[in-house]
Amino acid sequence: MLNPLELAHRILAEVIVPGDLVVDATMGQGYDTVFLAGLKADVVAFDVQALALAMTEKRLEQAQLTAKLILDGHENVGQYIEQPIKAAIFNLGYLPKSDKQVITQAETTLDALTQLLEMLVKGGRIALMIYYGHAGGLEERDAVLAFVSGLPQREFQVMRYGGINQANHPPFLVMIEKRL
Ligand code: SAH
């Protein structure tokens, strides 16, 4: 079966066509950036850690793909993107293999999400992979859930996908689609 991240990729790929502008809001190790670039989308990717850019750059090179990598917070997305976007993805939490000190934060995550929802074309989709097992994770999870629960049903379809019987803190997926 597909795990939530694989499902996120599948659901995003359904709407992305070559040349679409898409955003990776949390580059991390670069898996999502490489996935989106592989769909021939124009990818703009953000991270606040130079290590994430280095890992992503390496992965892109290996796959012979390109993307625009930005060393800045996703809450500043409006400074870099002016056109409508087709899709975006967030992987919340900390960068695996790093010191776990730098984590995504509820306030900046929701700031970025609000801006990206505004930029999203009708029929466009945003994926949020919610990791909440780390310190600060529950607060961010609850803030994101409260926010997306309040999105008007007329304008947005919001779905939640995740495992049922996993131990510990299984990550889950929130998908948002702007209605036609
Ligand atoms: N938990 C996921 C990985 C998340 S990586 C997993 O286990 O696979 C999250 C990334 O978001 C980190 O690389 C971190 O540096 C980055 N990040 C933190 N705050 C950010 C912000 N404001 N804007 C963009 N990226 C941010």
Side-chain angles (χ1 to χ4, degrees):
M1 288 190 285
L2 296 177
N3 68 34
L5 181 57
E6 291 164 344
L7 186 62
H9 285 180
R10 182 77 72 92
I11 294 172
L12 292 181
E14 280 178 0
V15 298
I16 294 171
V17 297
D20 277 345
L21 183 58
V22 304
V23 174
D24 183 351
T26 53
M27 218 178 296
Q29 300 180 83
Y31 292 115
D32 298 330
T33 299
V34 167
F35 173 74
L36 294 168
L39 298 174
K40 303 197 185 337
D42 285 339
V43 187
V44 182
F46 292 84
D47 206 291
V48 291
Q49 296 190 75
L51 174 62
L53 271 77
M55 290 166 96
T56 302
E57 188 64 66
K58 195 171 161 195
R59 238 177 251 290
L60 283 166
E61 266 172 38
Q62 281 166 356
Q64 296 188 299
L65 294 167
T66 57
K68 187 171 176 190
L69 308 187
I70 296 174
L71 180 62
D72 198 355
H74 40 224
E75 63 277 15
N76 297 321
V77 61
Q79 295 174 19
Y80 300 92
I81 297 181
E82 278 160 10
Q83 299 103 308
I85 63 162
K86 178 62 84 63
I89 185 165
F90 291 76
N91 259 284
L92 304 181
Y94 58 84
L95 177 63
K97 298 171 192 165
S98 75
D99 60 10
K100 305 189 185 177
Q101 294 305 307
V102 183
I103 58 168
T104 54
Q105 307 276 349
E107 196 185 333
T108 37
T109 297
L110 293 185
D111 187 351
L113 179 57
T114 303
Q115 295 181 56
L116 290 165
L117 286 172
E118 195 64 38
M119 294 172 176
L120 200 62
V121 299
K122 286 180 180 174
R125 295 176 176 174
I126 296 182
L128 296 120
M129 280 297 304
I130 318 278
Y131 295 78
Y132 53 94
H134 57 284
L138 285 178
E139 191 198 9
E140 186 181 35
R141 179 196 69 180
D142 292 345
V144 170
L145 285 176
F147 176 82
V148 298
S149 303
L151 287 172
Q153 197 178 346
R154 204 170 12 89
E155 287 172 61
F156 298 99
Q157 184 181 24
V158 185
M159 304 293 281
R160 174 179 174 159
Y161 305 98
I164 294 285
N165 67 338
Q166 283 166 275
N168 302 319
H169 305 279
F172 62 91
L173 169 65
V174 170
M175 284 298 322
I176 307 171
E177 180 179 86
K178 206 180 236 189
R179 287 182 183 280
L180 290 171

